[in-house]
Amino acid sequence: MDIPSGLIKKLKSARAIVFFSGAGISAESGIPIFRGKDGIWNKLRPEELANFNAFMRNPQLVWKWYNYRKSIVQESKPNPGHLAIVEMEKYFEKVIVITQNVDNLHRRAGSKTIYELHGNIERNFCAKCKKHYDGELDFEDGIPKCTCGGLIRPDVVWFGEFLPADQFQLSEKAARNCDVFFIVGTSAVVYPAASLVQVAKSNGAYLVEVNIEETEASSIVDVSLFGESGKILPQIVEELKLIRA
Ligand code: BV8
Ligand code: ZN
């Protein structure tokens, strides 16, 4: 696909760029997305799994789901889309990643500034005393227990739960102060994360969507690049190399 000249022009003079990413950027790493035709939530409903009441009602089921997802994450590795974002750090004063993903792939790819809005599947904490348990957990009857007797849960943000305040505030600040705001691989339906698109728009940033199909954000972006992020983002890096050469 050709990268539109308007985008190249914007990138030429850009100082700070933000990548707002969702599950789609990790699809080419073999991690299933949530919604859409092959979304994992078509079969399993999020309300039954990604919320605190579901966890307290049936912790074994929720842990089964997260252990399944953790095994996929552990098998996966960053793809050319994640790596292209890292490479862009060479061409701009500031490159910030704001991710809704919990798969840790941006960090494993080497991105320096990452704000995790929905937590991280590789971290856990006790639902009762909040003690952190990262790394391997001991499961007894399908659930890990804290020394205080409380249930250990994944350190991810469930529906109805607040996002980590520091991560969200830093993300809002980044969206307010960037020249180009990329929206990569997200259906942009989950709030308050998706509200960052509007924050970037009102700051006057140039909005670029990278997705295989139209989304809720498509109507307000400046340009939509339709295709796989693992192909499109490296292409943008190639264009940058030509400009900077
Ligand atoms: C909150 C957990 C304040 C971690 C997730 C009505 C009823 C009930 C609630 C609400 C409501 N309206 C708004 C809400 C609030 C709710 C919400 O937004 N619901 C939506 C769904 C309507 N939000 C919340 O509850 C948030 N908290 O509001 O707190 C509060 C507090 C107390 C009381 C009230 C309110 C918490 C939101 C976080 C929920 N946790 N996951 C986990 O297990 O992962 S959400 C889940 O969706 C993931 O975190 C994921 O990151 C997120 C967003 O999904 P996407 O990343 O966009 O993925 P998706 O599959 O949707 O799309 C993938 C895209 O990629 C597609 O567009 C596809 O085309 C594209 N793609 C595919 N392949 C490629 C590609 N693109 C490029 N290249 C490819 N190769
Ligand atoms: Zn505890």
Side-chain angles (χ1 to χ4, degrees):
M1 98 139 359
D2 287 340
I3 305 298
S5 55
L7 170 56
I8 300 301
K9 212 157 142 266
K10 283 288 172 190
L11 288 174
K12 250 183 171 160
S13 58
R15 193 188 47 80
I17 54 172
V18 166
F19 289 91
F20 174 56
S21 70
I25 197 169
S26 298
E28 291 156 87
S29 297
I31 300 182
I33 65 170
F34 293 95
R35 300 169 185 86
K37 56 187 180 321
D38 44 6
I40 37 173
W41 280 351
N42 296 347
K43 298 180 262 321
L44 300 156
R45 284 154 27 88
E47 302 74 51
E48 284 155 22
L49 290 162
N51 79 48
F52 185 69
N53 300 333
F55 178 69
M56 294 315 277
R57 222 182 10 254
N58 189 341
Q60 286 86 347
L61 173 69
V62 174
W63 265 113
K64 211 157 161 276
W65 187 53
Y66 278 94
N67 283 335
Y68 155 66
R69 290 178 59 198
K70 279 170 96 157
S71 61
I72 298 178
V73 165
Q74 268 134 28
E75 294 298 305
S76 70
K77 57 186 183 46
N79 67 58
H82 298 102
L83 297 169
I85 293 175
V86 179
E87 208 170 338
M88 287 201 218
E89 289 177 7
K90 291 181 202 156
Y91 300 106
F92 299 98
E93 211 177 291
K94 200 182 268 190
V95 175
I96 291 179
V97 173
I98 302 172
T99 189
Q100 301 169 90
N101 299 340
V102 296
D103 59 29
N104 213 26
L105 286 185
H106 284 297
R107 198 173 310 283
R108 286 172 52 195
S111 283
K112 291 203 188 51
T113 312
I114 306 168
Y115 301 139
E116 291 177 324
L117 294 178
H118 293 160
N120 186 317
I121 202 166
E122 297 184 348
R123 295 195 304 258
N124 313 284
F125 67 93
C126 169
K128 203 161 157 207
C129 72
K130 312 293 176 222
K131 183 176 167 209
H132 258 268
Y133 285 82
D134 298 345
E136 282 310 299
L137 294 169
D138 298 330
F139 280 75
E140 239 175 78
D141 310 327
I143 37 179
K145 282 246 175 100
C146 172
T147 43
C148 82
L151 279 177
I152 298 175
R153 55 165 284 179
D155 185 9
V156 296
V157 179
W158 282 329
F159 285 103
E161 292 186 330
F162 288 106
L163 277 57
D166 61 332
Q167 299 295 298
F168 192 64
Q169 276 146 22
L170 287 165
S171 299
E172 275 187 314
K173 190 164 163 256
R176 259 203 307 278
N177 297 290
C178 64
D179 303 304
V180 182
F181 187 86
F182 284 88
I183 304 155
V184 186
T186 181
S187 54
V189 296
V190 174
Y191 283 82
S195 63
L196 293 169
V197 176
Q198 198 50 54
V199 171
K201 180 90 187 160
S202 36
N203 124 43
Y206 189 76
L207 268 54
V208 185
E209 179 171 44
V210 177
N211 202 308
I212 52 173
E213 60 188 15
E214 290 231 324
T215 71
E216 292 291 311
S218 301
S219 55
I220 66 161
V221 298
D222 295 285
V223 62
S224 281
L225 307 178
F226 289 113
E228 293 183 319
S229 46
K231 302 213 175 22
I232 290 182
L233 294 176
Q235 259 186 284
I236 295 175
V237 171
E238 288 316 303
E239 293 286 341
L240 287 169
K241 281 181 186 159
L242 294 177
I243 303 175
R244 305 285 170 163

